[in-house]
Amino acid sequence: MDTFEQLYKECLTKNKTIYQAAQENMAIEADISVDKVRSFALKSLFEMKEAIRSGLISKELSMSGMCGQDCYKVQQYYKKQNSMFGKLFEKIIEYALATSEENIRMGRIVACPTAGSCGIVPAALIAISEEYNCSEFEQINALITAGEIGRIISLKVALAGAVAGCQAECGVASAMAAAAVCQLRNGRVSQILNASALALKNVLGLTCDPVAGLVEVPCVKRNPFLAVHAITAAELALCDVESKIPLDEVVDAMGQTGALMSPMLKESSQAGLAVTKTGLKVQKQVFD
Amino acid sequence: MKKTTLFDIISPVMIGPSSSHTAGAVRLGLLAKHIYKNTPKKVKFTLYNSYAHTGKGHGTEKGLLAGVLGLDVDDRRIKDIFNSDIAKNIDYTFSYADNFKKHPNTVDMVFDDSMFVSGESVGAGEVAIRKINDFNVKLTGRYNNLILVYKDKPGMISQVTNLLQKEGINIAFLNCDRNAKGQEASMIIEIDGKMNTSIEDEILKIPDVYFVTYVEKLEN
C-alpha cells in the first residue's frame, strides 16, 4: 500500500483497522509473524517510556548549554499551580519536553520518525493512554497506526529537514501523533486519516532553521507545541470535522512546498532563527 | 532502493541528538570496523564540512569512536566514550577540514596506518561507505555484503557469482570499480539473506583474487 487512498480501501473492503493492515503488511515485508511486528513496536514503546522517565528527573544541560532544564521548570510550576487546561495538558507538555531534552543531552530516545521530533508521538500517545487507562495492546495499536501514517508519507517525501524542512519532521510527527490519539479514542479509519490530514495541513511551510546547526533551538520546544497540536487535530477529527483536502494531497502539497523552500531554510542554518543577532551570538559562543 | 518500512518509522532506538550526526556517525564507525575485521589500535578521523563544523554539538566524534569500538547506536556508553574503559587502549585523533566537493557529512578514517575508509551520513541515520583504500564502493549496511579486490580480467564476476549461485544466494545489488584496465578492481555484492563465511575461502581460491571480506549488515 503506497497511498492513503489504497490503505483506506483495503481497510474498508476487508473490514480492517489501520494497525491491522499495517502489521500484516510489515509481517509480509520482513517475512516475520504479526506477533514479531507487535513485539518490535512494544520495544519502541518501552524505550519511549524509559526516555520520558529519565527526562523527567534530569536537569542536565546539552553540550552547547542552550537547553536541558525546561522540563524541570514546567514541573516545578505545576507543583504549585495547575495548568489552565488541566492535568492531561501538563502531562503532554512535560512528556514531550522530557523526551526531547533527553535527546539533546545524548540520552536514549526513539527516533519516531526522527530524533529532532522524538518527543511528539510519545507525549501524545502515552499521556492519553494514561488518562484513559488504555491497555498495552491498545498502545501498540496506536503506535503501529502512527508508524503507518509516517511510512506512507515518507514514500512521497523524505522525512528530513534538509529535504523538506521541519514540516517533514515535527510536522509529520504531529500527523502521526494525531492518528495515534484518534486510534486510542477508537476513531474510525476515516477519522484517523482526517486527523493526520488536519494536523499536517496546519504546519505546511514549517522551516528548519536551527541555531548553530544543533537540534536544540527551536526543536526542543517545538515538540510540546506539536504534541498539543496533534490533540487538537484528533479532537476535530473525532467530532467528524473533515479535512477538505485528502491526506494524500496534503502530502503532495507538503512535498511541493518543501521543494520550493530555499535550501537556506532547510537544515543549513543559513537563514531564519539561525542568523538572528542572538542566534549568531550563540553559535559563536558554542563553537569558538 | 529499499523502501521505507513501518519499522524504519518507529525506530531506531538511539542515543541522541541527531540521526545523521550521532547515530549515522556510530554506524559509519561500526561499518569501518566490520570491514577491517578488528578493532584497530590506532585510528585517525578527518571530519569534513557539516561534520567538522557542528560535530562537537552533536557528539559526532563520540559516535565515530564508539562505532569503531563496536558499540551500537543505542549504547548508553556513547555519551562518555572518551572516558570509558573500552577506549583506553585505542589511540585516536580527530582533524577537521572543508571540502565542498565532498558530501556535507563526510568522514575519512585511517585504521592502523593501513586501511583508508571514507563514508557519508546521507540523512535519517542512513550511511554509505564510499571508499575503501583506492576503490570507490557503496556500502550501506542495509544488506549483507561481500567485498572483493581482484585483478581486472574477463570472467571474474561469473566465477564469483557461480559460487554464490551454488549456495542459493540471491544478489540484490552488484557494483564493480577498477583503477585501470588490467589493474586492481573491486566488487561489492549486496546479498539477500545470510552467507556462510566458508564461501570467503572458496572465493579466495579463485586465481587473482587478492582480497575478500564478508561484512554483515548493521542490526540497528
Side-chain angles (χ1 to χ4, degrees):
Chain A
M1 283 166 290
D2 291 352
T3 65
F4 290 106
E5 197 184 344
Q6 284 171 14
L7 175 66
Y8 180 67
K9 279 189 182 146
E10 164 89 4
C11 291
L12 207 66
T13 53
K14 299 196 178 146
N15 196 22
K16 283 180 194 167
T17 57
I18 291 177
Y19 74 83
Q20 283 167 335
Q23 67 194 15
E24 286 166 19
N25 196 20
M26 185 67 228
I28 293 166
E29 181 83 26
D31 200 15
I32 54 176
S33 66
V34 166
D35 280 351
K36 280 259 167 67
V37 175
R38 293 185 65 86
S39 54
F40 185 98
L42 178 61
K43 181 171 183 277
S44 287
L45 189 65
F46 171 80
E47 291 291 347
M48 286 173 173
K49 291 176 183 174
E50 281 296 298
I52 290 173
R53 208 173 53 85
S54 316
L56 286 174
I57 54 172
S58 179
K59 281 189 344 187
E60 189 186 327
L61 289 168
S62 64
M63 285 170 279
S64 76
M66 278 194 287
C67 299
Q69 299 188 333
D70 292 334
C71 187
Y72 173 75
K73 278 185 197 160
V74 167
Q75 290 179 86
Q76 290 304 105
Y77 178 79
Y78 287 147
K79 276 181 189 158
K80 293 177 291 194
Q81 184 79 49
N82 288 339
S83 152
M84 291 180 280
F85 286 159
K87 280 279 165 212
L88 177 57
F89 186 83
E90 293 176 14
K91 259 189 190 174
I92 294 167
I93 60 175
E94 282 171 4
Y95 288 3
L97 279 173
T99 308
S100 207
E101 288 186 345
E102 267 304 276
N103 182 48
I104 50 95
R105 59 171 78 98
M106 294 193 84
R108 189 156 76 192
I109 54 90
V110 184
C112 182
T114 63
S117 63
C118 67
I120 296 166
V121 171
L125 196 163
I126 292 161
I128 298 285
S129 294
E130 287 175 359
E131 179 75 11
Y132 291 98
N133 290 315
C134 299
S135 67
E136 189 176 271
F137 178 78
E138 290 172 297
Q139 293 172 46
I140 294 171
N141 296 347
L143 181 56
I144 292 174
T145 305
E148 185 68 353
I149 298 294
R151 181 187 75 81
I152 295 179
I153 296 174
S154 78
L155 297 178
K156 276 188 185 159
V157 186
L159 308 187
V163 176
C166 193
Q167 51 170 3
E169 294 208 26
C170 288
V172 170
S174 196
M176 291 166 60
V181 171
C182 218
Q183 172 62 44
L184 288 172
R185 304 297 298 130
N186 299 313
R188 298 188 307 276
V189 172
S190 59
Q191 289 174 325
I192 292 169
L193 297 179
N194 262 308
S196 292
L198 291 167
L200 195 58
K201 258 195 331 190
N202 199 42
V203 292
L204 292 185
L206 196 62
T207 64
C208 177
D209 54 358
V211 170
L214 301 175
V215 196
E216 299 191 19
V217 177
C219 325
V220 169
K221 290 188 272 282
R222 188 162 287 169
N223 275 259
F225 275 112
L226 286 187
V228 172
H229 178 259
I231 310 294
T232 312
E235 289 280 359
L236 288 171
L238 288 166
C239 302
D240 276 332
V241 172
E242 287 180 11
S243 170
K244 290 287 174 243
I245 314 292
L247 184 51
D248 282 313
E249 294 176 39
V250 177
V251 176
D252 290 338
M254 181 180 79
Q256 186 193 42
T257 306
L260 291 170
M261 203 183 277
S262 165
M264 293 171 82
L265 289 166
K266 290 189 281 193
E267 215 178 333
S268 62
S269 299
Q270 293 171 318
L273 293 172
V275 299
T276 54
K277 200 170 99 187
T278 305
L280 290 171
K281 201 170 96 187
V282 169
Q283 181 173 17
K284 215 167 150 40
Q285 281 166 359
V286 175
F287 291 113
D288 287 355
Chain B
M1 216 187 93
K2 191 172 178 281
K3 267 193 190 174
T4 305
T5 67
L6 172 72
F7 285 175
D8 296 327
I9 302 292
I10 61 170
S11 73
V13 177
M14 58 170 271
I15 299 302
S18 162
S19 48
S20 57
H21 285 60
T22 322
V26 177
R27 283 171 166 163
L28 284 168
L30 204 51
L31 269 178
K33 173 197 153 73
H34 287 337
I35 295 165
Y36 196 62
K37 295 275 189 216
N38 270 309
T39 304
K41 290 195 170 59
K42 190 173 140 189
V43 55
K44 279 191 258 180
F45 298 99
T46 308
L47 283 67
Y48 293 92
N49 308 335
S50 176
Y51 257 26
H53 294 292
T54 67
K56 276 210 173 63
H58 285 124
T60 305
E61 290 97 333
K62 292 178 185 176
L64 288 167
L65 181 65
V68 168
L69 291 167
L71 303 194
D72 217 331
V73 293
D74 63 348
D75 198 308
R76 290 193 192 276
R77 287 174 293 180
I78 295 169
K79 183 176 180 176
D80 203 23
I81 191 71
F82 294 143
N83 301 313
S84 159
D85 279 349
I86 57 167
K88 275 192 178 137
N89 297 319
I90 186 167
D91 172 14
Y92 55 87
T93 57
F94 291 97
S95 51
Y96 307 89
D98 276 323
N99 181 340
F100 295 106
K101 284 181 187 159
K102 289 181 190 282
H103 185 279
N105 303 326
T106 297
V107 59
D108 290 347
M109 295 172 258
V110 179
F111 280 27
D112 294 329
D113 296 317
S114 65
M115 181 186 79
F116 171 87
V117 169
S118 182
E120 300 166 352
S121 181
V122 297
E126 296 294 313
V127 298
I129 297 288
R130 299 311 307 253
K131 229 174 172 55
I132 302 172
N133 294 327
D134 288 336
F135 295 101
N136 293 318
V137 298
K138 189 180 180 197
L139 202 78
T140 62
R142 281 260 201 176
Y143 292 86
N144 290 325
N145 269 269
L146 198 58
I147 303 173
L148 277 89
V149 178
Y150 57 99
K151 184 178 165 64
D152 178 48
K153 66 175 193 182
M156 295 303 277
I157 295 172
S158 74
Q159 287 187 68
V160 175
T161 54
N162 275 342
L163 279 172
L164 295 180
Q165 188 194 352
K166 262 189 226 158
E167 297 291 321
I169 292 166
N170 187 48
I171 295 173
F173 304 95
L174 188 150
N175 282 294
C176 296
D177 184 44
R178 66 179 186 193
N179 288 337
K181 193 176 176 187
Q183 303 288 305
E184 271 190 350
S186 72
M187 201 187 306
I188 304 281
I189 307 173
E190 293 183 293
I191 63 168
D192 291 323
K194 284 203 166 188
M195 190 193 85
N196 190 330
T197 47
S198 68
I199 301 178
E200 272 183 63
D201 301 330
E202 291 300 309
I203 291 173
L204 210 49
K205 283 181 198 158
I206 300 172
D208 291 324
V209 168
Y210 306 137
F211 168 83
V212 58
T213 189
Y214 176 60
V215 180
E216 286 203 354
K217 70 178 174 185
L218 300 178
E219 285 305 321
N220 280 304

